[in-house]
Amino acid sequence: MVSERGAPVAARADDALIPGAYITDEAMQTVLERQCCRCAGCNAPLGADATHFDLREPAICGGSHTLGNFEALCPFCHRNRMRRIREQFAGTIGHKNK
């Protein structure tokens, strides 16, 4: 949603923009609570020392930095997701990243 002056306006709490490249502690806690402290990929319990936060739809694919687009993943699922995204984009530009 956009205000009269063209500034982004959140329609729902999950649509709130998270400015910059870093997710806040409050946003992390909200995502973890939404997922019941479970990995979005494999449903494994998430610990404070091994939780990765990522965008469900990557920014490069048009995903926004909103709370609703963030998900918490275990290291294994995050690594696999990053590998799939790299392979997807390597195929679109004609070479593979190693």
Side-chain angles (χ1 to χ4, degrees), residues 4 7 13 15 25 28 44 49 60 65-66 73 98:
E4 294 173 7
D15 290 338
D25 289 341
M28 283 188 241
D49 59 334
I60 196 167
H65 281 79
T66 59
L73 299 163
K98 294 185 181 186

Side-chain angles (χ1 to χ4, degrees), residues 8-10 12-32 34 53-56 59 63-71:
V9 175
R12 300 183 333 247
D14 278 358
D15 290 338
L17 286 174
I18 298 175
Y22 300 99
I23 183 170
T24 64
D25 289 341
E26 182 179 284
M28 283 188 241
Q29 190 61 37
T30 300
V31 171
L32 286 170
R34 180 181 67 213
F53 291 87
D54 202 1
L55 296 173
R56 288 179 180 151
S64 61
H65 281 79
T66 59
L67 198 53
N69 195 30
F70 274 97
E71 65 184 357

Side-chain angles (χ1 to χ4, degrees), residues 23-91:
I23 183 170
T24 64
D25 289 341
E26 182 179 284
M28 283 188 241
Q29 190 61 37
T30 300
V31 171
L32 286 170
E33 287 172 3
R34 180 181 67 213
Q35 293 180 203
C36 299
C37 292
R38 298 275 183 181
C39 174
C42 68
N43 207 32
L46 294 171
D49 59 334
T51 300
H52 297 258
F53 291 87
D54 202 1
L55 296 173
R56 288 179 180 151
E57 183 175 355
I60 196 167
C61 297
S64 61
H65 281 79
T66 59
L67 198 53
N69 195 30
F70 274 97
E71 65 184 357
L73 299 163
C74 69
F76 178 78
C77 287
H78 185 255
R79 187 172 45 251
N80 286 337
R81 178 174 163 73
M82 292 297 99
R83 180 185 48 77
R84 286 192 309 270
I85 290 171
R86 280 193 304 273
E87 288 172 357
Q88 175 187 355
F89 282 99

